[in-house]
């Protein structure tokens, strides 16, 4: 009898332990955050970054409607200050395309139309600017619009050097795979010498073939040690510290097995239809508090007649979140509820992964506030 009881206990432990391993990393809703906005604030943004100051978490939010950066105190859920920046004149920074805050009194700004990185103080006054139109060996840097500091391509600062993405510019139909494969993906700007150079790493190989002409966009983040690159229509994640030695990891989703076929764009409508129907890995972000990654995966959707294609592409109806450990092993994948979240707006804080609910297709949508749900991966909570 005792032997049977012991066997039952061991069996229960084994099943429970296996179930715990199976569920490790599952994304769960922890809470929510609501932040106030003014009438002139657009609640969707291209650039939104958290930063710490005296152990308090703050969020910088680019208000695309007013050329201003809003600084929120996350702990109190209040607006801390509003930094308005002129576009023109000696004090102007142009139209802000992105920014990064490394310290509360030091803000780096990328402009939509100017090949400058503007450095301002906490009030928005320019204290320095760095010109990056050409590399040290005379090669032109692509359009400033693409050397931006967006949520998924943030401006990175490491050892007094700045790193910008180097998106391909021009008519994609006039560019072949050979040109694409030789395109450098990163621009390095030395803050001290002001020298600019392309890093050795090139565009991912085999991205274009005879049947598919995928949009040549990529995501690039930094995990405090390495640069992490992910292409939307590729199952490879590339990781490098120096853009010379590169490690490669595979990524997959349980909701799709391939990316479909996207021919060279014939017109905007046809291209949008192809984009909507084609699955992709949309974004990736690093959680420094729990040493894991979150990948936003779009499974594609059926495209119907009469559909507002532009609206559907901007506000994707559904996506999943894949949790990877620090070695890029998949822990879990969670499909988010349909027409609820805005895939473009998210950030990581001490409490977890914050995902915006400011999707106009959400029945609870309001443009009077910024609303986030906060998620945590089970067994990774700290």
């Amino acid at each position: 009898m005792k032997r049977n009881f012991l066997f039952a206990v061991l069996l229960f432990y084994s099943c429970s332990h296996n179930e715990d391993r199976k569920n490790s990393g599952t994304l769960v809703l922890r809470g929510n955050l609501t932040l106030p906005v003014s009438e002139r604030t657009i609640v969707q943004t291209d650039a939104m970054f958290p930063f710490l100051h005296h152990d308090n978490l703050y969020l910088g939010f680019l208000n695309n409607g007013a050329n201003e950066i809003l600084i929120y105190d996350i702990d109190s859920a209040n607006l801390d200050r509003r930094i308005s920046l002129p576009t023109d004149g000696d004090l102007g920074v142009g139209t802000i395309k992105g920014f990064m805050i490394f310290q509360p009194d030091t803000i780096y700004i990328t402009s939509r139309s100017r090949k400058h990185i503007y450095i301002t103080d906490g009030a928005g006054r320019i204290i320095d600017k760095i010109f990056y139109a050409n590399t040290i060996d005379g090669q032109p840097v692509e359009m400033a619009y693409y050397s931006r500091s967006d949520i998924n391509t943030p401006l990175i600062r490491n050892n007094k050097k700045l790193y910008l993405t180097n998106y391909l510019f021009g008519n994609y139909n006039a560019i072949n795979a050979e040109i694409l494969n030789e395109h450098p993906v990163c621009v390095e700007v030395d803050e001290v010498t002001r020298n600019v150079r392309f890093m050795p790493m090139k565009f991912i190989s085999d991205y274009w073939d005879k049947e598919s002409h995928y949009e040549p966009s990529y995501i690039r983040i930094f995990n405090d040690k390495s640069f992490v690159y992910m292409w939307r229509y590729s199952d490879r994640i590339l990781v490098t510290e120096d853009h010379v030695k590169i490690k490669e990891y595979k990524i997959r989703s349980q909701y799709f097995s391939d990316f479909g076929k996207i021919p060279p764009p014939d017109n905007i409508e046809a291209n949008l239809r192809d984009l909507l129907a084609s699955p992709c890995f949309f974004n990736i972000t690093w959680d420094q508090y729990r040493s894991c990654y979150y990948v936003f995966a779009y499974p594609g959707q059926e495209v119907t007649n009469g559909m507002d294609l532009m609206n559907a592409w901007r506000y994707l109806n559904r996506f999943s979140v894949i949790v990877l450990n620090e070695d890029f092993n998949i822990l879990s994948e969670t499909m988010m509820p349909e027409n609820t979240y805005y895939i473009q707006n998210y950030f990581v804080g001490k409490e977890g992964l914050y995902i915006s609910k400011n999707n106009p297709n959400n029945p609870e949508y309001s443009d009077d506030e910024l609303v986030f749900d906060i998620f945590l991966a089970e067994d990774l909570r700290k």
Side-chain angles (χ1 to χ4, degrees):
M1 186 74 175
K2 290 182 179 179
R3 188 174 299 170
N4 290 339
F5 174 76
L6 179 60
F7 175 77
V9 170
L10 291 173
L11 180 64
F12 173 77
Y13 172 79
S14 176
C15 292
S16 300
H17 183 63
N18 288 337
E19 187 66 23
D20 286 343
R21 290 182 62 188
K22 180 180 178 183
N23 292 332
S24 176
T26 300
L27 211 61
V28 294
L29 180 64
R30 178 189 176 100
N32 55 69
L33 170 70
T34 301
L35 301 174
V37 299
S38 66
E39 291 183 359
R40 63 179 182 174
T41 302
I42 297 175
V43 294
Q44 297 86 22
T45 187
D46 294 328
M48 175 174 60
F49 302 105
F51 64 94
L52 287 171
H53 182 55
H54 297 316
D55 292 328
N56 286 341
L57 184 66
Y58 293 84
L59 179 70
F61 182 95
L62 174 61
N63 179 13
N64 293 322
N67 220 53
E68 63 182 9
I69 298 171
L70 309 178
I71 307 296
Y72 288 97
D73 183 330
I74 298 301
D75 294 331
S76 67
N78 289 320
L79 181 65
D80 182 70
R81 66 184 187 275
R82 184 189 307 271
I83 304 171
S84 297
L85 296 117
T87 57
D88 302 315
D90 294 338
L91 303 179
V93 299
T95 300
I96 303 174
K97 180 57 183 170
F99 72 94
M100 182 56 71
I101 300 175
F102 299 106
Q103 298 176 3
D105 58 351
T106 309
I107 304 173
Y108 289 67
I109 294 172
T110 57
S111 173
R112 183 183 297 271
S113 58
R114 304 177 185 180
K115 294 181 181 180
H116 283 96
I117 298 171
Y118 294 91
I119 305 173
T120 77
D121 62 15
R125 294 181 289 263
I126 297 174
I127 55 179
D128 199 358
K129 57 184 176 181
I130 301 173
F131 190 53
Y132 64 91
N134 297 288
T135 64
I136 193 171
D137 57 354
Q139 298 181 71
V141 177
E142 299 285 7
M143 283 286 290
Y145 179 90
Y146 294 93
S147 295
R148 57 203 183 189
S149 186
D150 277 10
I151 293 171
N152 59 12
T153 55
L155 179 71
I156 293 168
R157 185 173 185 258
N158 190 36
N159 294 326
K160 295 185 179 180
K161 293 180 179 178
L162 304 174
Y163 296 90
L164 294 162
T165 51
N166 185 43
Y167 271 18
L168 190 69
F169 175 72
N171 180 3
Y172 299 155
N173 287 336
I175 299 171
N176 58 33
E178 288 74 20
I179 294 174
L180 183 70
N181 292 344
E182 290 301 314
H183 188 76
V185 295
C186 183
V187 180
E188 180 190 80
V189 182
D190 191 309
E191 285 192 89
V192 179
T193 65
R194 305 301 167 102
N195 289 336
V196 179
R197 71 180 181 120
F198 290 130
M199 301 301 286
M201 181 176 165
K202 299 297 195 297
F203 210 89
I204 193 170
S205 62
D206 304 324
Y207 195 64
W208 282 352
D209 57 29
K210 293 180 180 179
E211 295 181 323
S212 293
H213 208 76
Y214 298 121
E215 180 188 15
S217 62
Y218 56 93
I219 298 94
R220 192 271 288 116
I221 60 172
F222 191 64
N223 65 9
D224 302 323
K225 179 182 179 182
S226 300
F227 299 85
V228 179
Y229 287 82
M230 185 179 76
W231 277 258
R232 284 187 171 165
Y233 300 94
S234 173
D235 62 355
R236 290 175 285 173
I237 294 175
L238 273 56
V239 181
T240 180
E241 293 184 22
D242 57 6
H243 290 84
V244 177
K245 297 178 181 178
I246 302 167
K247 293 182 179 180
E248 186 176 302
Y249 301 89
K250 287 286 188 177
I251 178 70
R252 59 179 173 79
S253 169
Q254 62 179 306
Y255 296 103
F256 57 89
S257 57
D258 60 62
F259 303 102
K261 294 178 174 62
I262 301 181
D266 183 36
N267 57 66
I268 293 177
E269 181 177 345
N271 188 229
L272 285 172
R273 286 180 174 275
D274 289 333
L275 289 171
L276 283 167
S278 302
C280 67
F281 295 111
F282 211 85
N283 286 319
I284 185 171
T285 191
W286 166 246
D287 186 335
Q288 69 269 34
Y289 302 97
R290 285 153 285 271
S291 298
C292 69
Y293 298 90
Y294 307 107
V295 175
F296 294 67
Y298 169 62
Q301 62 180 288
E302 181 182 0
V303 181
T304 59
N305 292 330
M307 202 173 184
D308 185 337
L309 299 175
M310 189 66 74
N311 181 76
W313 176 240
R314 183 173 186 189
Y315 304 110
L316 297 176
N317 63 344
R318 62 180 185 142
F319 60 92
S320 64
V321 178
I322 304 170
V323 182
L324 309 176
N325 67 13
E326 58 187 330
D327 297 317
F328 297 94
N329 297 310
I330 296 175
L331 300 179
S332 70
E333 182 172 10
T334 304
M335 179 59 73
M336 309 305 286
E338 193 166 331
N339 290 322
T340 302
Y341 298 104
Y342 182 40
I343 193 173
Q344 300 272 27
N345 284 183
Y346 55 86
F347 68 95
V348 172
K350 292 180 290 186
E351 300 300 317
L353 171 65
Y354 295 68
I355 306 179
S356 170
K357 297 186 73 175
N358 291 109
N359 182 337
N361 299 319
N362 186 334
E364 299 178 355
Y365 172 77
S366 170
D367 56 10
D368 295 328
E369 56 193 8
L370 300 177
V371 182
F372 300 87
D373 274 350
I374 309 169
F375 294 89
L376 270 179
E378 286 284 0
D379 298 336
L380 297 179
R381 292 181 285 185
K382 290 184 179 180

